[in-house]
């Protein structure tokens, strides 16, 4: 099939590469000229395991193309996936849909035969209705169908998640589009993905409801971790004991820093804003947002306590600064709050991240990027394990930290506190 992905970011590039690998002809379009020029040279703009090989392979066999020409790419395609960003509005909690509506206006000028227009971006319920209205101003409704097909991939696991999803959600009542899309996804359905055909509005809401639920799970266990710290109970035991209950499940039930990333923070806000619009109070999700916002402050306070309030001139090392492992995405990472706050109190920060130095910290005084773990931790008074990369799971702290007295604050509970006790290392974890 001939597909066009509008927006070549985490979602557009991964799904475009995967669809081309499944045998479709795919054009990935982006308005970012540099991004497209780089992609044509085989330079991948994001860190995502396995993506380089997939992109280069399919670009070389000409099933995957890159373009900045939206009109031409639409003319050449039958199925158009909108994969542009839907960030939080500057003033408010709702989703800023300007990128979506701009694209809808651009698309309508290039429809000369039947096209399926799909929102893969996460969009509030009724956005599909609006897109349909925008396009039908200029194009007969017989020539297009607007469908919702939310994407559930996780950064860091994106290719696996795309190829082996739990479910493919298709929101449309148009049987012609449904048949074509079931066919497009048939390689994934035959590998076990459930195909769910529902109304467009329901598909739009499923995505937000899923993310809000996962964010709630994380926040729930994070709050319980706070209690565990006061009653000499290990939160890891609670996570295991709860997670083994099949009704609950162990995933997204590990205590740690505040949830971050490009989706949970903005999607929890957007779903409450949508509900407010329809005069419905999603009070559970609202309190999750509040609790999560408070979480970074709470962990920061813990850092102060660990250092007995003496932060000035302390050398603090962050291992990992992205919001989670296996991604280079810094959006809403709790390190963006913690590092500047610690500098303000006079700390000197050294950090290492497997995905390299971050622009977010380049202009900050007293923040230094180290090129490897050893040089990052060498002179530290306090080492904060912020992100759960495998690279951080077997560090020989005794050998590699040159300071006699150093402390570890393991925000991901990677290490065993008993082992650390045996090694006579001052060690703090979350929820114990
Ligand atoms: N990142 C994730 O893990 C993830 C997972 C599931 C769903 N989503 C959703 O998918 C959507 C995209 O997220 P993302 O993380 O891939 O965003 P992103 O910021 O990485 O990519 C969006 C891309 O769209 C491009 N763009 C914007 N306007 C354009 C236009 N008019 N024409 C062509 N290109 C244009 C931008 O240049 C950018 O490259 C969001 O709604 C997000 O919530 C994201």
């Amino acid at each position: 099939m001939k597909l066009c992905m509008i927006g070549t970011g985490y979602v557009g590039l991964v799904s475009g590469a995967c669809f081309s690998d499944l045998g479709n002809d795919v054009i990935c379009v982006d308005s970012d000229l540099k991004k497209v020029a780089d992609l044509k040279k085989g330079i991948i703009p994001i860190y995502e395991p396995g993506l380089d090989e997939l992109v280069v392979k399919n670009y070389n066999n000409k099933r995957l193309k890159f373009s900045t020409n939206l009109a031409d790419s639409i003319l050449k395609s039958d199925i158009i996936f909108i994969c542009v960003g839907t960030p939080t509005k500057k003033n408010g909690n709702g989703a800023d849909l300007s990128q979506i509506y701009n694209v809808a206006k651009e698309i309508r000028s290039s429809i000369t035969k039947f096209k399926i227009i799909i929102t893969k971006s996460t969009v509030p319920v009724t956005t599909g209705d609006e897109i349909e209205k925008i396009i039908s101003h200029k194009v007969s409704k017989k020539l297009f169908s607007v469908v919702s097909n939310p994407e559930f991939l996780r950064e860091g696991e994106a290719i696996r998640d795309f190829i082996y999803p739990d479910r493919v959600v298709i929101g449309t009542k148009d049987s012609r589009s449904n048949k074509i899309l079931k066919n497009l996804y048939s390689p994934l359905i035959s590998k076990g993905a459930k195909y769910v055909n529902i109304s467009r509005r329901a598909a739009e809401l499923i995505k937000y409801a899923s993310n809000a639920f996962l964010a709630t799970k994380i926040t729930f266990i994070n709050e319980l971790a706070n209690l565990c710290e006061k009653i000499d109970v290990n939160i890891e035991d609670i996570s295991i004991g709860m997670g083994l209950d099949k009704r609950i499940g162990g995933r997204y039930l590990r205590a740690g820093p505040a949830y971050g990333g490009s989706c949970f923070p903005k999607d929890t806000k957007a779903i409450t804003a949508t509900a407010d619009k329809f005069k419905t109070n999603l009070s559970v999700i609202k309190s999750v947002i509040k609790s999560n916002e408070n979480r970074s402050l709470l962990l920061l306070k813990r850092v102060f306590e660990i250092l007995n309030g003496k932060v000035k001139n302390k050398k603090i090392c962050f291992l990992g600064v992205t919001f989670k492992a296996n991604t280079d995405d810094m959006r809403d990472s709790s390190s963006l709050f913690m590092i500047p706050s610690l500098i303000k109190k006079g700390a000197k920060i050294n950090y290492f991240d497997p995905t390299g130095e971050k622009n977010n910290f380049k202009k900050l005084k007293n923040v230094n990027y180290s090129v490897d773990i050893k040089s990052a931790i060498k002179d530290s008074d306090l080492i904060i394990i912020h992100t759960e990369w495998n690279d951080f799971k077997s560090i020989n702290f005794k050998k590699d930290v040159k300071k006699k007295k150093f402390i570890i604050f393991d925000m991901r509970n990677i290490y065993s506190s008993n082992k650390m006790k045996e090694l006579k290392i001052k060690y703090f974890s979350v929820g114990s």
Side-chain angles (χ1 to χ4, degrees):
M1 292 189 208
K2 295 193 184 317
L3 316 181
C4 168
M5 320 303 293
I6 305 177
T8 308
Y10 286 87
V11 166
L13 183 58
V14 170
S15 23
C18 290
F19 274 135
S20 67
D21 204 53
L22 293 171
N24 301 287
D25 289 326
V26 181
I27 311 174
C28 281
V29 186
D30 208 286
S31 48
D32 183 333
L33 305 185
K34 185 177 181 310
K35 194 180 259 190
V36 172
D38 280 352
L39 280 162
K40 285 181 177 172
K41 285 186 235 153
I43 302 168
I44 312 298
I46 53 171
Y47 177 89
E48 184 59 51
L51 186 60
D52 310 40
E53 295 91 317
L54 205 67
V55 168
V56 170
K57 175 185 150 196
N58 288 288
Y59 182 68
N60 287 342
N61 68 25
K62 297 193 168 46
R63 278 207 298 259
L64 181 62
K65 297 195 172 81
F66 299 105
S67 173
T68 51
N69 190 335
L70 187 74
D72 178 60
S73 305
I74 289 166
L75 278 173
K76 288 178 179 153
S77 309
D78 302 315
I79 306 177
I80 322 290
F81 286 90
I82 302 177
C83 308
V84 297
T86 49
T88 306
K89 273 183 191 156
K90 287 234 157 62
N91 305 311
N93 283 334
D96 174 356
L97 297 173
S98 54
Q99 294 181 44
I100 298 278
Y101 295 145
N102 285 341
V103 165
K105 282 176 199 153
E106 286 189 68
I107 291 174
R108 67 183 178 191
S109 316
S110 308
I111 299 180
T112 49
K113 62 175 181 119
F114 182 75
K115 308 223 183 262
I116 303 178
I117 293 146
I118 299 177
T119 46
K120 212 169 217 348
S121 296
T122 304
V123 293
V125 66
T126 69
T127 304
D129 305 1
E130 198 55 41
I131 295 173
E132 191 174 282
K133 222 189 269 171
I134 292 171
I135 298 177
S136 62
H137 272 310
K138 292 225 167 133
V139 183
S140 155
K141 279 192 180 171
K142 283 187 193 141
L143 283 184
F144 74 96
S145 159
V146 177
V147 175
S148 166
N149 169 216
E151 183 50 58
F152 298 99
L153 62 78
R154 290 163 300 167
E155 287 173 18
E157 314 271 348
I159 293 171
R160 204 205 141 274
D161 282 353
F162 189 87
I163 306 284
Y164 299 99
D166 293 330
R167 76 293 206 196
V168 172
V169 172
I170 297 293
T172 184
K173 284 183 182 151
D174 174 40
S175 55
R176 179 179 175 188
S177 302
N178 186 37
K179 204 170 152 199
I180 295 170
L181 292 174
K182 197 165 187 183
N183 194 18
L184 174 68
Y185 277 108
S186 61
L188 312 189
I189 298 166
S190 65
K191 283 185 184 138
K194 291 268 182 302
Y195 185 84
V196 183
N197 177 217
I198 43 173
S199 74
R200 190 167 62 203
R201 287 185 177 188
E204 290 169 338
L205 189 57
I206 282 177
K207 172 67 192 178
Y208 281 104
S210 303
N211 275 359
F213 190 79
L214 294 173
T216 304
K217 246 182 130 175
I218 294 173
T219 307
F220 180 91
I221 204 75
N222 279 345
E223 287 203 346
L224 274 185
N226 298 340
L227 173 63
C228 286
E229 280 164 20
K230 293 185 179 141
I231 54 173
D232 195 22
V233 169
N234 191 337
I235 191 67
E236 294 296 311
D237 293 339
I238 307 303
S239 294
I240 292 168
M242 283 179 70
L244 286 171
D245 185 330
K246 286 199 178 71
R247 295 169 302 176
I248 298 171
R251 292 162 81 191
Y252 291 76
L253 207 62
R254 296 273 318 280
Y259 62 73
S262 63
C263 293
F264 288 179
K266 81 171 174 64
D267 292 349
T268 42
K269 284 182 200 156
I271 192 175
T272 57
T274 303
D276 284 346
K277 203 170 108 189
F278 291 99
K279 300 207 172 2
T280 305
N281 183 19
L282 296 182
S283 64
V284 171
I285 305 174
K286 281 181 184 169
S287 65
V288 165
I289 296 169
K290 240 191 208 155
S291 171
N292 192 63
E293 281 169 356
N294 201 32
R295 178 108 192 118
S296 296
L297 196 65
L298 219 116
L299 289 192
L300 193 67
K301 273 190 193 154
R302 186 113 191 267
V303 173
F304 293 149
E305 277 163 29
I306 288 170
L307 291 172
N308 291 322
K310 292 172 192 149
V311 179
K312 197 156 193 245
N313 290 325
K314 283 283 182 321
K315 291 189 173 164
I316 302 179
C317 168
F318 271 73
L319 291 179
V321 289
T322 54
F323 81 99
K324 67 171 182 180
N326 296 321
T327 182
D328 57 353
D329 202 338
M330 286 295 291
R331 286 178 280 189
D332 271 321
S333 171
S334 56
S335 70
L336 293 173
F337 169 75
M338 279 194 255
I339 289 181
S341 309
L342 288 166
I343 299 172
K344 261 189 212 147
K345 296 279 177 191
K348 300 206 157 64
I349 307 287
N350 231 348
Y351 76 95
F352 168 72
D353 193 282
T355 59
E357 191 173 6
K358 303 296 163 206
N359 287 334
N360 314 68
F361 302 128
K362 274 190 180 156
K363 284 191 185 141
L364 295 185
K365 240 183 167 180
N366 291 327
V367 180
N368 173 57
Y369 178 70
S370 298
V371 291
D372 56 31
I373 299 172
K374 278 187 189 171
S375 50
I377 62 176
K378 197 172 64 179
D379 298 316
S380 307
D381 296 302
L382 171 66
I383 297 157
I384 293 178
I385 302 174
H386 176 265
T387 316
E388 196 174 353
W389 284 86
N390 282 339
D391 311 43
F392 304 150
K393 288 183 178 166
S394 46
I395 299 173
N396 190 339
F397 291 102
K398 272 275 186 211
K399 184 166 157 261
D400 293 337
V401 185
K402 303 301 175 200
K403 278 246 164 103
K404 267 215 164 116
K405 279 188 181 168
F406 65 91
I407 307 170
I408 296 172
F409 183 14
D410 181 357
M411 291 187 180
R412 299 288 176 173
N413 296 351
I414 292 177
Y415 289 91
S416 131
S417 47
N418 285 339
K419 242 198 187 135
M420 287 290 167
K421 218 183 250 169
E422 277 170 27
L423 290 168
K424 298 197 169 52
I425 293 176
K426 207 166 177 192
Y427 172 84
F428 297 86
S429 57
V430 164
S432 67

